[in-house]
Amino acid sequence: GAGVSQSPRYKVAKRGQDVALRCDPISGHVSLFWYQQALGQGPEFLTYFQNEAQLDKSGLPSDRFFAERPEGSVSTLKIQRTQQEDSAVYLCASSSSIAGVEETQYFGPGTRLLVL
Amino acid sequence: DQQVKQNSPSLSVQEGRISILNCDYTNSMFDYFLWYKKYPAEGPTFLISISSIKDKNEDGRFTVFLNKSAKHLSLHIVPSQPGDSAVYFCAARVTGANNLFFGTGTRLTVIP
């Protein structure tokens, strides 16, 4: 299919380990978003890219979280020195238009991260 | 603070009847609202949206109503079908801002 894909789907990490989560957006989509969804909660915004530019990272919870989209397509969310509170589902979404207009964000299936 | 609230964590409805899912928000700057549906192990899927200049938007069996003065919106599904069983998230955004604010979701179960 031509939807948003994410890998890995599941990741178990030991506390202190670094992890990298990948997002392949819908081809040609300008905007890419990362969200964090804790158990029993709705998704919470982490960061936004317009093409390769990271225009908003206000939702990143700490400097251990880092995201990149170097060529304006695939994006990677990296979490350094993982902590147990980082355990969540990480969702990626993409959109064909720039953020802030009445666009629809299309979500991937998410990566479920469990930090032990 | 939770700017978008879905106070009913779950709802059960008989097949063929109407499902009404509710959402309240606190930020008066929100001007675009969306409903997403989520099945287990999948990402949220866009369902329907409404701009603040409207008070109703309809798409097949799905209708969203917006009451700006009450800061309240609702999603009506009629008739409800077993395949509608999922978690429904309400989301809102300020035009010009980058992110969506989501509620905590309502789990709808449609009983055959």
Side-chain angles (χ1 to χ4, degrees):
Chain A
V4 178
S5 61
Q6 293 184 244
S7 62
R9 293 293 310 275
Y10 303 92
K11 176 70 179 177
V12 179
K14 292 183 179 178
R15 190 177 58 178
Q17 185 179 354
D18 297 349
V19 298
L21 313 179
R22 176 187 169 108
C23 172
D24 286 80
I26 294 172
S27 178
H29 274 196
V30 169
S31 294
L32 185 144
F33 306 81
W34 283 98
Y35 290 83
Q36 180 190 58
Q37 184 176 15
L39 190 64
Q41 301 297 313
E44 291 193 1
F45 171 78
L46 293 177
T47 187
Y48 162 64
F49 288 86
Q50 183 178 322
N51 296 308
E52 69 278 3
Q54 188 175 19
L55 298 187
D56 187 344
K57 49 184 181 180
S58 61
L60 295 177
S62 77
D63 58 7
R64 296 186 295 104
F65 287 71
F66 172 75
E68 59 183 7
R69 194 187 184 197
E71 297 178 358
S73 55
V74 171
S75 177
T76 304
L77 176 67
K78 298 179 180 178
I79 309 173
Q80 297 176 325
R81 304 181 304 282
T82 52
Q83 303 294 314
Q84 287 184 323
E85 62 262 29
D86 300 335
S87 296
V89 175
Y90 291 84
L91 293 163
C92 175
S94 71
S95 168
S96 60
S97 61
I98 62 173
V101 296
E102 294 180 2
E103 92 290 0
T104 297
Q105 295 183 21
Y106 296 90
F107 283 81
T111 295
R112 183 176 296 276
L113 172 65
L114 176 62
V115 182
L116 302 176
Chain B
D1 61 333
Q2 193 76 22
Q3 298 189 50
V4 178
K5 299 177 184 178
Q6 294 177 258
N7 293 319
S8 297
S10 63
L11 174 69
S12 291
V13 172
Q14 207 71 30
E15 180 179 3
R17 306 295 293 269
I18 185 171
S19 295
I20 300 176
L21 297 102
N22 294 303
C23 177
D24 297 289
Y25 60 95
T26 58
N27 188 342
S28 58
M29 299 295 290
F30 287 147
D31 57 6
Y32 188 59
F33 304 88
L34 309 90
W35 283 94
Y36 281 83
K37 179 169 74 171
K38 186 181 183 303
Y39 292 118
E42 296 183 10
T45 303
F46 170 74
L47 199 54
I48 192 169
S49 63
I50 188 167
S51 166
S52 60
I53 62 173
K54 298 183 178 179
D55 54 18
K56 176 183 175 181
N57 189 26
E58 193 171 352
D59 183 1
R61 297 185 298 113
F62 302 91
T63 303
V64 55
F65 295 91
L66 175 62
N67 182 334
K68 289 187 292 292
S69 61
K71 294 191 180 69
H72 176 83
L73 67 158
S74 61
L75 174 67
H76 293 210
I77 306 173
V78 55
S80 302
Q81 299 174 354
D84 296 329
S85 297
V87 178
Y88 289 79
F89 289 98
C90 170
R93 198 194 53 231
V94 176
T95 295
N98 298 318
N99 54 308
L100 293 175
F101 290 86
F102 283 84
T104 52
T106 296
R107 181 178 301 277
L108 173 66
T109 302
V110 180
I111 304 165

